[in-house]
């Protein structure tokens, strides 16, 4: 049975069988915004473009690698001292499936919109923490998005074999004005990987701000 995480909860990556979860997907799912038109006779759908990203931190608390969209303009990234985006970690252990620019239309389709695959056995030994976060490219904030959730599961980008843990961050009034979300982190303790469900919304309007906030306040 999948673990339903709550904010601040920390878990070991061990399945019910006792086996360690080492190769899995970290996926994020969200819906397009739907509103009723004149007299409720029509439905208007507004695409939502969220970006799933992660940064890798070494055991000296230094940023040592990153995965975020290559579509971010390099001149904006350079203002924050950040390099061009890429979809594969240097050690090949993490891979992003690519951008989803719309979100689910017509309800949850059961698949995640953006996914980072993780193979803990291949991660560079110097990596101690991996932070996962979302940035909204559009004008809406997280209080308007009908649902969004992060989950860890075994499978592929097109087939969910078994969900290990999920963390719902559905639309809440407390998310008003918040356009970024620090979702959680994988962290290594005594050579074992664990997961911490952070779930903190922020008003950041650009990925660079979110990365700087993590480096300043979450290490």
């Amino acid at each position: 049975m999948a673990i339903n995480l709550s904010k601040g909860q920390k878990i070991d990556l061990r399945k019910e069988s006792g086996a360690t979860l080492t190769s899995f997907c970290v996926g994020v799912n969200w819906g397009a915004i739907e509103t009723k038109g004149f007299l409720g006779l029509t439905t208007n759908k507004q695409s939502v473009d969220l970006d799933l990203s992660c940064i890798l931190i070494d055991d000296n608390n230094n940023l040592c690698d990153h995965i975020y969209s290559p579509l971010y303009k390099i001149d904006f990234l350079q203002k924050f001292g950040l390099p061009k985006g890429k979809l594969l970690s240097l050690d090949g252990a993490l891979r992003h499936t690519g951008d989803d620019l719309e979100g689910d239309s017509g309800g949850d389709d059961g698949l995640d919109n953006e996914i980072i695959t993780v193979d803990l056995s291949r991660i560079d030994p110097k990596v101690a923490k991996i932070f996962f976060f979302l940035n909204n490219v559009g004008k809406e904030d997280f209080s308007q998005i009908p649902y969004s959730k992060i989950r860890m599961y075994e499978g592929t980008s097109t087939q969910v074999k078994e969900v290990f843990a999920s963390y719902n961050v559905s639309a809440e009034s407390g998310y008003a004005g918040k356009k970024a979300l620090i979702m959680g982190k994988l962290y290594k303790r005594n050579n074992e990987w664990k997961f911490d469900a952070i779930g903190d919304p922020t008003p950041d309007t650009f990925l660079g701000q979110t990365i700087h906030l993590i480096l300043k306040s979450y290490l």
Side-chain angles (χ1 to χ4, degrees):
M1 183 179 295
I3 302 170
N4 291 316
L5 295 170
S6 57
K7 182 180 175 69
Q9 184 176 354
K10 297 177 174 61
I11 58 170
D12 295 328
L13 300 185
R14 291 192 179 276
K15 298 185 284 186
E16 289 184 344
S17 64
T20 302
L21 188 71
T22 57
S23 183
F24 54 92
C25 298
V26 175
V28 176
N29 193 30
W30 68 87
I33 298 172
E34 298 186 5
T35 56
K36 293 295 183 181
F38 182 66
L39 298 179
L41 300 177
T42 60
T43 300
N44 301 316
K45 296 181 180 180
Q46 177 185 336
S47 297
V48 175
D49 182 7
L50 302 182
D51 286 343
L52 170 64
S53 308
C54 72
I55 54 172
L56 290 75
I57 309 298
D58 67 19
D59 46 20
N60 292 316
N61 280 340
N62 295 315
L63 177 64
C64 61
D65 200 1
H66 68 280
I67 291 180
Y68 49 76
S69 174
L71 299 179
Y72 283 114
K73 294 183 179 180
I74 189 63
D75 53 337
F76 282 107
L77 291 168
Q78 288 176 341
K79 292 180 180 179
F80 293 88
L82 298 172
K84 182 177 176 58
K86 58 187 179 69
L87 300 180
L88 181 67
S89 62
L90 295 173
D91 52 22
L94 289 87
R95 181 186 297 271
H96 198 299
T97 56
D99 277 346
D100 182 305
L101 305 177
E102 299 179 352
D104 290 347
S105 179
D108 188 350
D109 62 5
L111 296 175
D112 293 327
N113 300 86
E114 293 192 10
I115 298 163
I116 295 177
T117 60
V118 180
D119 184 350
L120 294 176
S121 67
R122 299 180 61 187
I123 290 182
D124 189 318
K126 70 182 179 184
V127 175
K129 302 170 188 173
I130 304 171
F131 286 87
F132 296 88
F133 53 97
L134 276 176
N135 291 93
N136 190 355
V137 179
K139 295 180 179 180
E140 60 280 342
D141 59 44
F142 276 98
S143 69
Q144 299 169 281
I145 301 171
Y147 57 85
S148 55
K149 63 183 177 183
I150 177 175
R151 62 180 175 178
M152 302 164 65
Y153 68 90
E154 293 179 290
T156 67
S157 59
T158 57
Q159 183 178 22
V160 178
K161 181 180 177 183
E162 183 177 356
V163 177
F164 174 71
S166 64
Y167 180 35
N168 290 317
V169 286
S170 301
E172 296 181 8
S173 59
Y175 290 169
K178 311 297 186 181
K179 298 188 59 178
L181 185 66
I182 302 171
M183 297 185 298
K185 69 176 179 180
L186 288 166
Y187 65 100
K188 190 165 53 177
R189 179 167 294 171
N190 298 325
N191 282 327
E192 284 195 12
W193 285 95
K194 303 175 184 293
F195 185 77
D196 178 6
I198 298 173
D200 287 348
T202 81
D204 304 334
T205 57
F206 184 64
L207 164 138
Q209 295 169 307
T210 309
I211 292 177
H212 275 208
L213 177 60
I214 293 172
L215 296 176
K216 178 182 178 181
S217 303
Y218 287 85
L219 300 184

